[in-house]
Amino acid sequence: MISTVPCWFMADMQQIRTGRHCTFALHAHLVFVTKFRHKVFTDAHLRRMEEIMRDVAKDFECKIVEFNGENNHVHLLVNFPPKVALSKLVNSLKGVSSRRLRQEYPELVRHYWRAQRLWSGSSDNQLRSQPPKDLRRRPLRPASTISNGTIRVSSREARGRTGPWLP
């Protein structure tokens, strides 16, 4: 049985994006660290890096909501569609930004003369997809049906006369 949840409030929310067959609000908090944690970035490097990363994100139909960085790492909050593989987005962001920054700023090359890469091989990715606040306020199931970590289903629910989304 297919059931639907009325989503009339989603049209008012600016952060929710829609695709052909879906509605989504996927955000990833990405942290990229320089190789060996060298403190190499200046304000000019960070400004140019933000431009580069916004261009790459646009190619993936993603949006960088927030960008912040220090001399040895950067933080990105990226809004992306479900069709984008996060690993491919991260690889492109790191690869393109490393290549272009090393081309445009030769002083970065002297820190990595042997490694030939700007970023560390690892990154911290924290994916979150939160439902709208209206849905978060009310639990999907009444609190009385949850005990000791297990969910008890009422007999009415088992017979299909009601669902967890109905009042």
Side-chain angles (χ1 to χ4, degrees), residues 67-81:
F67 180 91
N68 192 3
E70 293 185 20
N71 54 9
N72 63 355
H73 70 278
V74 295
H75 292 266
L76 296 135
L77 182 62
V78 182
N79 183 345
F80 64 98

Side-chain angles (χ1 to χ4, degrees), residues 32-95:
F32 300 152
V33 180
T34 59
K35 188 85 172 164
F36 310 121
R37 291 290 271 199
H38 286 178
K39 299 180 179 187
V40 296
F41 297 140
T42 62
D43 288 337
H45 295 141
L46 292 173
R47 279 192 300 275
R48 180 63 182 134
M49 187 183 317
E50 183 176 5
E51 293 171 6
I52 292 169
M53 288 190 172
R54 286 191 189 278
D55 290 341
V56 172
K58 192 182 294 182
D59 292 341
F60 278 86
E61 298 175 12
C62 299
K63 180 181 178 187
I64 295 181
V65 179
E66 215 173 297
F67 180 91
N68 192 3
E70 293 185 20
N71 54 9
N72 63 355
H73 70 278
V74 295
H75 292 266
L76 296 135
L77 182 62
V78 182
N79 183 345
F80 64 98
K83 67 180 179 180
V84 172
L86 192 58
S87 61
K88 291 185 186 276
L89 176 64
V90 167
N91 286 342
S92 291
L93 287 170
K94 289 171 82 171

Side-chain angles (χ1 to χ4, degrees), residues 155-166:
S155 60
R156 284 180 55 193
E157 228 175 289
R159 289 189 301 247
R161 293 189 180 162
T162 179
W165 57 89
L166 297 175

